[in-house]
């Protein structure tokens, strides 16, 4: 097929022709077309694999899948009862997987109730939907040669995009566009059998900034478009969105995690908040535990390069070195530190994987937190969440050195280059704005090993019982994944998405 194929898409409310990838641009020499049935099978397998990674195989998860199936075939009343049963089982479960699944199950259950006319909560996402724009459908011979495929669906966090690239493209950058305007760039991760996989959740706040009726599309950096069920565009229906065009411009952007960020105002305020929280936490670790609280990951990169937080960075990573020699003891120590922090007036949160912990001050927004990581040595490797298994040793961290970050004194590892090169690679000193931890290749057995230092719901209940002071000065222990998302206003006061 030598001639260029075209599909129709909406740009700025008007129809315009867009090229759909041809075999010469979408495929390397020797690559084979992907049959439509295989594309559909791979899409569903990838989505199921993503579900299993987050939710595992548990009793509440199995009941939830039955509820979804019942809802899909129109048995909404049966689904209503099954959703309620799944949530009750989740609340009684001791599995870590509940941290990652409960809120999604709650969202689906409440949306089903709303569609039955028995809604008990208000959520603007209940009325949103996403479907392929059939006006942009391509012939099957073009579909089989597309560079990649994706699905779009509404979830509790916003609009979820999930897809894969054909073998041979490896790790590639993709642009996410709405009405022809790029709102985000992400990087695929190379998965098994050579397929590059990717996923993005466009946050609730970002969804509200989109037009009420708009077209979403994905393309590679060279302009080749990916397909959604054989269509170049996905129609988004967002009743609570804006009536006119996009809000995104040079001052407001969508970051790699799917959140809108104001580059001139919000980030500067966030960075000041980070430094205040760090100063309090550093002093606490010095006085109460006699150990330094290092800056790590991207925060250490910024400090090492120019003694400042990387412009646009929306997280702040720190860590402490543990002399425990096994993950079980690291977990016990982390639980004790978390309890002491709550009693000292800090807000400690556990993420949706059960990892200890995030840290912020009372009165600060949930986004203004430190990601605190335990650092320990086991099996001749140095381990750090979320995905670090490095050939480093204790002497690379201790004794700690002091440095300056945004004008404040901070602790840095004794040999920061060893950590940075071990984690980011030999080119760590070259800035890479598109870098994403999610795109890193990391063996599954190492992820399972790191999971041993995460808490279970049962351990979290024990921690609540150990907090002695009745007046913690605003301190609290919060499990993000176990927190009900309704009412939305209350959830957003306690946790971020």
């Amino acid at each position: 097929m030598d001639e260029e194929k075209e599909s129709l898409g909406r740009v700025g409310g008007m129809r315009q022709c867009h090229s759909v990838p041809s075999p010469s641009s979408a495929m390397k020499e020797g690559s084979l077309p992907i049959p439509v049935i295989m594309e559909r099978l791979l899409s569903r397998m990838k989505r199921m694999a993503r579900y299993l990674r987050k939710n595992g195989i548990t009793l509440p998860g199995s009941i939830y899948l039955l509820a979804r199936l019942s809802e899909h075939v129109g048995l909404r009343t049966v689904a209503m009862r099954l959703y309620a049963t799944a949530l009750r089982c989740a609340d009684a479960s001791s599995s870590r997987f509940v941290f990652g699944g409960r809120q999604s199950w709650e969202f689906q259950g409440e949306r089903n109730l709303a569609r039955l006319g028995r809604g008990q909560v208000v959520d603007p996402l209940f009325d949103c939907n996403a479907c392929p724009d059939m006006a942009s459908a391509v012939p099957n011979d073009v579909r089989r040669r597309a560079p990649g495929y994706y699905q779009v669906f509404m979830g509790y966090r916003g609009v979820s995009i999930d897809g894969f690239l054909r073998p041979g493209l490896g790790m590639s950058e993709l642009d996410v566009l709405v009405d022809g305007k790029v709102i985000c760039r992400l990087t695929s991760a190379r998965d098994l059998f050579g397929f590059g996989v990717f996923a993005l959740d466009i946050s609730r706040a970002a969804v509200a900034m989109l037009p009420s009726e708009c077209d979403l599309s994905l393309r590679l950096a060279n302009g080749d478009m990916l397909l959604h069920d054989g269509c170049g565009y996905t129609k988004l229906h967002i009743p609570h969105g804006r009536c006119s065009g996009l809000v995104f411009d040079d001052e407001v952007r969508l970051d790699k995690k799917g959140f809108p960020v104001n580059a001139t105002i919000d980030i500067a305020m966030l960075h000041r908040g980070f430094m205040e929280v760090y100063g309090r936490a550093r002093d606490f670790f010095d006085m109460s535990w006699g150990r330094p609280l290092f800056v790590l990951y991207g925060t250490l990169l910024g400090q090492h390069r120019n003694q400042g937080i990387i412009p646009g960075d929306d997280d702040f990573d720190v860590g402490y070195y543990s002399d425990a020699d096994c993950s079980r003891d690291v977990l016990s120590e982390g639980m004790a530190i978390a309890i002491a922090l709550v009693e000292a007036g800090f807000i400690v949160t556990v993420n949706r994987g059960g990892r200890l912990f995030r840290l912020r001050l009372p009165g600060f927004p949930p986004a203004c937190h430190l990601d605190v990581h335990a650092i320990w040595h086991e099996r001749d490797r140095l381990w750090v969440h979320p995905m670090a298994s490095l050939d480093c040793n204790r002497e690379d961290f201790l004794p700690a050195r002091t440095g300056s970050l945004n004008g404040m004194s901070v602790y840095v590892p004794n040999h920061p280059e060893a950590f940075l090169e071990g984690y980011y690679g030999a080119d760590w000193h070259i800035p890479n704005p598109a870098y994403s931890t999610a795109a890193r290749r990391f063996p599954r057995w190492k992820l399972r090993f790191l999971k041993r230092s995460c808490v279970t719901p049962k351990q979290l209940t024990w921690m609540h019982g150990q907090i002695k002071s009745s007046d913690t000065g605003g301190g609290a222990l919060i499990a993000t994944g176990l927190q009900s998302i309704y009412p939305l206003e209350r959830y957003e006061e306690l946790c971020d998405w």
Side-chain angles (χ1 to χ4, degrees):
M1 186 180 85
D2 297 324
E3 70 273 13
E4 182 181 47
K5 302 293 182 179
E6 293 183 342
S7 64
L8 293 175
R10 300 183 192 274
V11 178
M14 300 181 63
R15 288 285 181 181
Q16 179 173 325
C17 289
H18 290 272
S19 62
V20 172
S22 64
S24 58
S25 61
M27 298 175 60
K28 291 186 176 181
E29 185 177 356
S31 296
L32 297 175
I34 297 180
V36 174
I37 189 170
M38 179 62 69
E39 169 212 324
R40 290 173 174 166
L41 178 62
L42 289 171
S43 294
R44 283 153 181 76
M45 287 175 61
K46 182 184 183 303
R47 189 169 173 183
M48 178 57 70
R50 187 185 183 195
Y51 172 86
L52 291 174
R53 281 198 301 270
K54 290 179 62 178
N55 303 282
I57 301 175
T58 62
L59 176 59
S62 300
I63 297 172
Y64 164 77
L65 290 177
L66 287 174
R68 290 285 283 165
L69 178 62
S70 300
E71 185 180 4
H72 181 71
V73 300
L75 301 176
R76 293 193 178 277
T77 302
V78 174
M80 174 186 69
R81 298 191 182 99
L82 288 171
Y83 281 130
T85 302
L87 287 176
R88 285 196 300 271
C89 291
D91 291 338
S93 175
S94 61
S95 171
R96 292 189 186 100
F97 286 115
V98 173
F99 288 124
R102 190 194 184 284
Q103 291 173 337
S104 176
W105 306 340
E106 182 181 23
F107 171 79
Q108 298 293 349
E110 293 292 349
R111 185 171 66 173
N112 180 62
L113 281 174
R115 292 175 176 175
L116 276 170
R118 304 182 188 180
Q120 300 174 345
V121 300
V122 176
D123 191 333
L125 291 185
F126 290 165
D127 298 320
C128 299
N129 61 64
C131 61
D133 183 358
M134 300 310 299
S136 65
V138 301
N140 278 344
D141 58 342
V142 178
R143 180 173 179 174
R144 289 193 292 267
R145 290 168 168 78
Y149 309 90
Y150 67 97
Q151 301 287 315
V152 183
F153 51 95
M154 304 306 302
Y156 76 101
R157 299 175 72 179
V159 176
S160 292
I161 302 172
D162 193 67
F164 64 94
L165 303 178
R166 66 167 50 251
L169 291 178
M171 295 177 63
S172 302
E173 289 189 350
L174 302 95
D175 289 330
V176 180
L177 301 89
V178 170
D179 286 345
K181 182 170 183 176
V182 176
I183 65 168
C184 184
R185 174 164 290 182
L186 60 148
T187 304
S188 67
R190 186 174 300 170
D191 206 353
L192 293 176
F193 312 116
F195 288 97
V197 299
F198 59 89
L200 174 70
D201 289 323
I202 301 178
S203 69
R204 286 173 172 264
V207 170
M209 299 171 72
L210 300 178
S212 55
E213 299 286 343
C214 55
D215 289 340
L216 179 143
S217 59
L218 272 70
R219 70 184 183 195
L220 297 178
N222 65 4
D224 287 344
M225 295 183 68
L226 281 64
L227 300 182
H228 177 193
D229 288 346
C231 299
Y233 291 84
T234 300
K235 295 183 67 64
L236 296 181
H237 174 63
I238 307 168
H240 68 293
R242 292 175 59 87
C243 296
S244 56
L246 284 171
V247 179
F248 301 102
D249 54 32
D250 291 337
E251 294 298 317
V252 181
R253 62 184 176 81
L254 199 63
D255 67 20
K256 62 189 177 183
K257 300 176 185 177
F259 292 89
V261 177
N262 186 302
T264 60
I265 301 175
D266 293 350
I267 282 293
M269 295 175 60
L270 194 62
H271 288 180
R272 288 195 294 271
F274 285 154
M275 299 311 301
E276 185 173 348
V277 179
Y278 174 79
R280 290 273 301 274
R282 176 203 58 203
D283 294 344
F284 173 84
F285 271 79
D286 275 342
M287 294 184 293
S288 300
W289 292 88
R291 62 184 71 183
L293 192 64
F294 309 101
V295 291
L296 288 179
Y297 294 120
T299 311
L300 178 59
L301 270 176
Q303 191 281 328
H304 196 72
R305 287 173 181 164
N306 56 22
Q307 298 186 339
I309 300 175
I310 295 174
D313 207 355
D314 60 354
D315 53 19
F316 195 103
D317 288 289
V318 298
Y320 62 92
Y321 194 91
S322 172
D323 283 319
D325 56 5
C326 71
S327 54
R328 183 176 301 175
D329 290 343
V330 171
L331 173 58
S332 297
E333 181 182 57
M335 291 165 65
I337 292 174
I339 291 169
L341 283 162
V342 172
E343 293 177 342
F346 290 89
I347 296 177
V348 175
T349 58
V350 179
N351 75 0
R352 293 184 179 91
R355 185 183 68 78
L356 293 170
F357 47 84
R358 290 177 174 176
L359 192 64
R360 73 177 192 269
L361 295 173
F364 281 49
C368 188
H369 64 260
L370 310 183
D371 284 302
V372 184
H373 309 272
I375 306 164
W376 78 99
H377 203 266
E378 185 176 2
R379 295 188 178 182
D380 296 322
R381 305 287 293 174
L382 184 120
W383 300 87
V384 195
H385 277 282
M387 292 195 301
S389 172
L390 310 177
D391 186 18
C392 297
N393 53 50
R394 190 178 191 275
E395 288 69 33
D396 290 324
F397 287 86
L398 298 175
R401 293 163 49 190
T402 57
S404 177
L405 182 69
N406 282 27
M408 177 183 286
S409 176
V410 298
Y411 286 116
V412 298
N414 187 33
H415 300 129
E417 298 88 352
F419 175 81
L420 294 172
E421 183 171 346
Y423 186 74
Y424 293 105
D427 59 349
W428 63 268
H429 56 285
I430 302 174
N432 179 12
Y435 177 83
S436 172
T437 298
R440 282 174 53 86
R441 289 283 293 163
F442 199 68
R444 296 289 171 82
W445 75 266
K446 291 184 178 180
L447 285 174
R448 290 193 295 269
F449 186 84
L450 283 168
K451 272 287 185 184
R452 296 179 183 178
S453 63
C454 295
V455 296
T456 65
K458 185 176 181 180
Q459 290 169 325
L460 198 67
T461 300
W462 178 86
M463 290 173 66
H464 276 287
Q466 295 300 305
I467 298 174
K468 298 182 177 62
S469 174
S470 58
D471 180 12
T472 59
L477 177 61
I478 300 171
T480 301
L482 301 184
Q483 188 71 33
S484 171
I485 62 175
Y486 300 110
L488 293 172
E489 296 80 6
R490 174 59 177 163
Y491 175 80
E492 290 171 352
E493 290 176 2
L494 297 174
C495 309
D496 56 12
W497 292 102

